[in-house]
Amino acid sequence: MAGLAWMSLSVSATDCDGGLVYLDANRNGQRDEGEPGVSGVRVSDGVAIVTTDAEGRYRLAAIDGRSRFAIKPPEHAVPMRADGLPDYWGNVQREPGPELKYGGVPVTRDGCRDFALWPRETGDELEVLVFGDPQPKSTVDVDYYRRDIVEPLLQEQAGAGRPLASLGLSLGDIVNDDLSLYPVMNAQTARLGIPWLHVPGNHDLDFDAADDTGSLSTFRHHFGPDTFAWEEPQASFIVLDDVIYQPGQRPAYIGGLREDQFEFLEQYLAGARRDRLLVIAVHIPFFDTTPGRESFRRADRERLFAMLEPFEQVLLLSAHTHMQQHVWHGPESGWHGREPLHEYNVGATCGSFWSGVKDADGIPDTTMSDGTPNGHARMQVAADGGYSLQWKVARRGPQEGLSDAMALHAPKVLRRGAWPGFGVHANVFMGDADTRVEFRIDGGAWEPMQHVVKPDPRILAINVADDASATLRGYDRAPEAKPSPHLWRAALPTDLPVGEHRIEVRAFDRWQGEQRASTVYRLEDAEP
């Protein structure tokens, strides 16, 4: 019976070789009389790109195992599916694929159809929510994601009386190897009511696939193409699967790009507008995450960077590291543009894999190994392509020494007159080596803090507490502290009067301007 069912679906292959892109003016999900086709829209299967004719029709050979999609034009929107995802894609799988634990792509002709576009009004500024590594390993973690990330955003939206963004982007590791969690994760994200794009990560693979080609079958069934473009008036987005699966090898994957992806890029970039921001969204960073070990294939990076060089406004977005950092690429990594190429390695929405001590609401602390609290990023893009970035700390009430911008660590008490060898540390989450950070005591003069690359003492203290505890403090321990690229230090004075003294720190964020946090320490007299 299965074979007969497949035959009934695939008697004619030619009816899948073309289609129509039309304007769904009344937004009812079907083409009605008088609704015109839309010319000049590009349609792709992740390799070839074709363009609709004057009547909105296109021709594109149907190839099983590919996802067919319309490249959303900037002046249009797309309908939303019943599951809350944007409806711009469909899979073609007319013959059964390999049997996979999580199902892969079932026999379908979903890509053999027309694509609808909706009329839309566009604003001057684009707002995007960016999630790095949501990565639940169980339904318990999905509930953390719901309560720690989604619910606060819904509350913020309700207070604002409008959606917080017009686009959302998850940068891979949508789940942590258990692909059966895709529907419940998507259901939570879809509650935000925002068109949401998904990048595949190394924990989104079908590990029982025979090769890299089939390793994203289940991901594609749920989220669509692994390589595609999406256009807004202010920015063009290219989403790329950059996880090369290497079954039976060590490591089992490496960062890189496939030859068919370069075919797609060559065609798309040839006609891409250069008067707006070009965003490249991937999971594995383009820089090598471990010095001396190639985690992204250098030849692929150099080839991609050469293709991007003609574009003056490019932003790379990556995740994967469960840290947060800004990397400015230059000749040493294969970038030869006029200005350094900015890669924002976005912190994890799950933080340190939903680990650590739980708070009063039963949600783990899950601060990352570099000292960045879990949360999400927000990106704003202006009409001219200029962009700004911001990190938003997940659901936390007011805490001494903590803000969305930074976390402070200082000793609670020092001996008055002691050698001033102990200091305050400021972890500025969106900082880099060029960030200006200053401190002052009791409202005095501002003084510079020194940029240091070492573990955040806050995380070291958590590590020590976990070691010293005779019982488990959480389901999973907090990660070991790693050197943070956005940490500053200043020695605290001990020649002040006995009592409490306020420490203020300010950092000059390149996008959000002056950011502040404060805490206190106390001086006491003591006898030898």
Side-chain angles (χ1 to χ4, degrees), residues 286-287 298 301-302 305 327-336:
F286 293 103
F287 58 89
R298 183 176 182 90
R301 179 173 65 237
E302 291 180 347
F305 283 5
V327 174
W328 305 89
H329 291 278
E332 71 287 346
S333 57
W335 173 254
H336 301 283

mmCIF file of all heavy atoms in Angstrom, residues 286-287 298 301-302 305 327-336:
data_model
loop_
_atom_site.group_PDB
_atom_site.id
_atom_site.type_symbol
_atom_site.label_atom_id
_atom_site.label_comp_id
_atom_site.label_asym_id
_atom_site.label_seq_id
_atom_site.Cartn_x
_atom_site.Cartn_y
_atom_site.Cartn_z
ATOM 1 N N PHE A 286 32.557 31.757 12.253
ATOM 2 C CA PHE A 286 33.553 31.742 11.171
ATOM 3 C C PHE A 286 34.976 31.750 11.722
ATOM 4 O O PHE A 286 35.901 31.331 11.036
ATOM 5 C CB PHE A 286 33.333 32.942 10.250
ATOM 6 C CG PHE A 286 32.047 32.866 9.477
ATOM 7 C CD1 PHE A 286 30.950 33.621 9.853
ATOM 8 C CD2 PHE A 286 31.919 32.018 8.382
ATOM 9 C CE1 PHE A 286 29.753 33.547 9.154
ATOM 10 C CE2 PHE A 286 30.730 31.934 7.671
ATOM 11 C CZ PHE A 286 29.644 32.702 8.059
ATOM 12 N N PHE A 287 35.154 32.242 12.946
ATOM 13 C CA PHE A 287 36.485 32.203 13.555
ATOM 14 C C PHE A 287 36.700 30.824 14.188
ATOM 15 O O PHE A 287 35.738 30.108 14.502
ATOM 16 C CB PHE A 287 36.641 33.309 14.595
ATOM 17 C CG PHE A 287 35.633 33.258 15.708
ATOM 18 C CD1 PHE A 287 35.863 32.516 16.867
ATOM 19 C CD2 PHE A 287 34.434 33.956 15.627
ATOM 20 C CE1 PHE A 287 34.942 32.467 17.896
ATOM 21 C CE2 PHE A 287 33.499 33.919 16.658
ATOM 22 C CZ PHE A 287 33.759 33.169 17.784
ATOM 23 N N ARG A 298 38.953 26.845 6.614
ATOM 24 C CA ARG A 298 39.510 28.126 6.201
ATOM 25 C C ARG A 298 39.244 28.411 4.724
ATOM 26 O O ARG A 298 38.918 29.533 4.338
ATOM 27 C CB ARG A 298 41.015 28.169 6.481
ATOM 28 C CG ARG A 298 41.632 29.531 6.138
ATOM 29 C CD ARG A 298 43.098 29.649 6.476
ATOM 30 N NE ARG A 298 43.586 30.978 6.155
ATOM 31 C CZ ARG A 298 43.581 32.003 6.994
ATOM 32 N NH1 ARG A 298 43.115 31.833 8.214
ATOM 33 N NH2 ARG A 298 44.035 33.192 6.627
ATOM 34 N N ARG A 301 35.787 29.700 4.329
ATOM 35 C CA ARG A 301 35.671 31.059 4.862
ATOM 36 C C ARG A 301 36.248 32.073 3.879
ATOM 37 O O ARG A 301 35.615 33.103 3.594
ATOM 38 C CB ARG A 301 36.375 31.159 6.213
ATOM 39 C CG ARG A 301 36.306 32.560 6.814
ATOM 40 C CD ARG A 301 36.869 32.601 8.223
ATOM 41 N NE ARG A 301 38.298 32.312 8.253
ATOM 42 C CZ ARG A 301 38.842 31.336 8.958
ATOM 43 N NH1 ARG A 301 38.085 30.531 9.677
ATOM 44 N NH2 ARG A 301 40.151 31.157 8.942
ATOM 45 N N GLU A 302 37.420 31.804 3.355
ATOM 46 C CA GLU A 302 38.050 32.741 2.429
ATOM 47 C C GLU A 302 37.235 32.883 1.149
ATOM 48 O O GLU A 302 37.114 33.980 0.598
ATOM 49 C CB GLU A 302 39.472 32.278 2.127
ATOM 50 C CG GLU A 302 40.410 32.396 3.331
ATOM 51 C CD GLU A 302 41.822 31.932 3.032
ATOM 52 O OE1 GLU A 302 42.039 31.285 1.974
ATOM 53 O OE2 GLU A 302 42.730 32.216 3.853
ATOM 54 N N PHE A 305 34.180 35.011 2.096
ATOM 55 C CA PHE A 305 34.565 36.398 2.338
ATOM 56 C C PHE A 305 34.877 37.121 1.030
ATOM 57 O O PHE A 305 34.573 38.311 0.883
ATOM 58 C CB PHE A 305 35.759 36.458 3.282
ATOM 59 C CG PHE A 305 35.408 36.217 4.738
ATOM 60 C CD1 PHE A 305 34.123 35.874 5.123
ATOM 61 C CD2 PHE A 305 36.383 36.339 5.726
ATOM 62 C CE1 PHE A 305 33.806 35.651 6.459
ATOM 63 C CE2 PHE A 305 36.075 36.130 7.072
ATOM 64 C CZ PHE A 305 34.782 35.785 7.432
ATOM 65 N N VAL A 327 33.847 39.688 17.042
ATOM 66 C CA VAL A 327 35.087 39.410 16.326
ATOM 67 C C VAL A 327 35.122 40.316 15.103
ATOM 68 O O VAL A 327 34.117 40.440 14.373
ATOM 69 C CB VAL A 327 35.183 37.926 15.920
ATOM 70 C CG1 VAL A 327 36.404 37.670 15.044
ATOM 71 C CG2 VAL A 327 35.230 37.036 17.166
ATOM 72 N N TRP A 328 36.259 40.935 14.880
ATOM 73 C CA TRP A 328 36.428 41.852 13.751
ATOM 74 C C TRP A 328 37.438 41.222 12.802
ATOM 75 O O TRP A 328 38.628 41.201 13.057
ATOM 76 C CB TRP A 328 36.879 43.231 14.241
ATOM 77 C CG TRP A 328 35.929 43.783 15.267
ATOM 78 C CD1 TRP A 328 35.984 43.604 16.618
ATOM 79 C CD2 TRP A 328 34.765 44.566 15.016
ATOM 80 N NE1 TRP A 328 34.921 44.230 17.230
ATOM 81 C CE2 TRP A 328 34.143 44.829 16.276
ATOM 82 C CE3 TRP A 328 34.166 45.074 13.854
ATOM 83 C CZ2 TRP A 328 32.989 45.577 16.401
ATOM 84 C CZ3 TRP A 328 33.002 45.828 13.985
ATOM 85 C CH2 TRP A 328 32.432 46.078 15.235
ATOM 86 N N HIS A 329 36.922 40.673 11.691
ATOM 87 C CA HIS A 329 37.768 39.938 10.768
ATOM 88 C C HIS A 329 38.603 40.877 9.905
ATOM 89 O O HIS A 329 38.148 41.948 9.491
ATOM 90 C CB HIS A 329 36.908 39.059 9.846
ATOM 91 C CG HIS A 329 36.257 37.915 10.563
ATOM 92 N ND1 HIS A 329 36.915 36.738 10.837
ATOM 93 C CD2 HIS A 329 34.992 37.772 11.065
ATOM 94 C CE1 HIS A 329 36.091 35.912 11.471
ATOM 95 N NE2 HIS A 329 34.918 36.517 11.623
ATOM 96 N N GLY A 330 39.820 40.434 9.627
ATOM 97 C CA GLY A 330 40.739 41.153 8.761
ATOM 98 C C GLY A 330 41.520 40.177 7.900
ATOM 99 O O GLY A 330 41.122 39.014 7.739
ATOM 100 N N PRO A 331 42.640 40.600 7.335
ATOM 101 C CA PRO A 331 43.416 39.733 6.433
ATOM 102 C C PRO A 331 43.821 38.405 7.052
ATOM 103 O O PRO A 331 43.933 37.397 6.340
ATOM 104 C CB PRO A 331 44.643 40.589 6.096
ATOM 105 C CG PRO A 331 44.174 42.008 6.269
ATOM 106 C CD PRO A 331 43.206 41.959 7.417
ATOM 107 N N GLU A 332 44.047 38.378 8.371
ATOM 108 C CA GLU A 332 44.500 37.131 8.999
ATOM 109 C C GLU A 332 43.449 36.028 8.894
ATOM 110 O O GLU A 332 43.778 34.840 8.962
ATOM 111 C CB GLU A 332 44.859 37.376 10.472
ATOM 112 C CG GLU A 332 43.711 37.649 11.406
ATOM 113 C CD GLU A 332 43.089 39.036 11.244
ATOM 114 O OE1 GLU A 332 43.726 39.889 10.583
ATOM 115 O OE2 GLU A 332 41.985 39.260 11.774
ATOM 116 N N SER A 333 42.179 36.389 8.750
ATOM 117 C CA SER A 333 41.142 35.371 8.592
ATOM 118 C C SER A 333 40.543 35.365 7.190
ATOM 119 O O SER A 333 39.521 34.727 6.956
ATOM 120 C CB SER A 333 40.028 35.573 9.629
ATOM 121 O OG SER A 333 39.452 36.864 9.535
ATOM 122 N N GLY A 334 41.173 36.072 6.271
ATOM 123 C CA GLY A 334 40.751 36.014 4.877
ATOM 124 C C GLY A 334 39.844 37.131 4.424
ATOM 125 O O GLY A 334 39.334 37.095 3.304
ATOM 126 N N TRP A 335 39.630 38.159 5.252
ATOM 127 C CA TRP A 335 38.799 39.295 4.869
ATOM 128 C C TRP A 335 39.692 40.430 4.390
ATOM 129 O O TRP A 335 40.614 40.846 5.099
ATOM 130 C CB TRP A 335 37.943 39.764 6.028
ATOM 131 C CG TRP A 335 37.186 41.038 5.743
ATOM 132 C CD1 TRP A 335 37.448 42.281 6.226
ATOM 133 C CD2 TRP A 335 36.036 41.179 4.887
ATOM 134 N NE1 TRP A 335 36.549 43.184 5.738
ATOM 135 C CE2 TRP A 335 35.667 42.542 4.909
ATOM 136 C CE3 TRP A 335 35.305 40.285 4.102
ATOM 137 C CZ2 TRP A 335 34.587 43.026 4.190
ATOM 138 C CZ3 TRP A 335 34.223 40.778 3.378
ATOM 139 C CH2 TRP A 335 33.865 42.130 3.429
ATOM 140 N N HIS A 336 39.414 40.961 3.199
ATOM 141 C CA HIS A 336 40.258 42.017 2.620
ATOM 142 C C HIS A 336 39.432 43.238 2.228
ATOM 143 O O HIS A 336 39.810 43.981 1.318
ATOM 144 C CB HIS A 336 41.010 41.465 1.404
ATOM 145 C CG HIS A 336 41.895 40.294 1.731
ATOM 146 N ND1 HIS A 336 43.121 40.444 2.361
ATOM 147 C CD2 HIS A 336 41.707 38.961 1.552
ATOM 148 C CE1 HIS A 336 43.668 39.253 2.535
ATOM 149 N NE2 HIS A 336 42.842 38.335 2.066
#
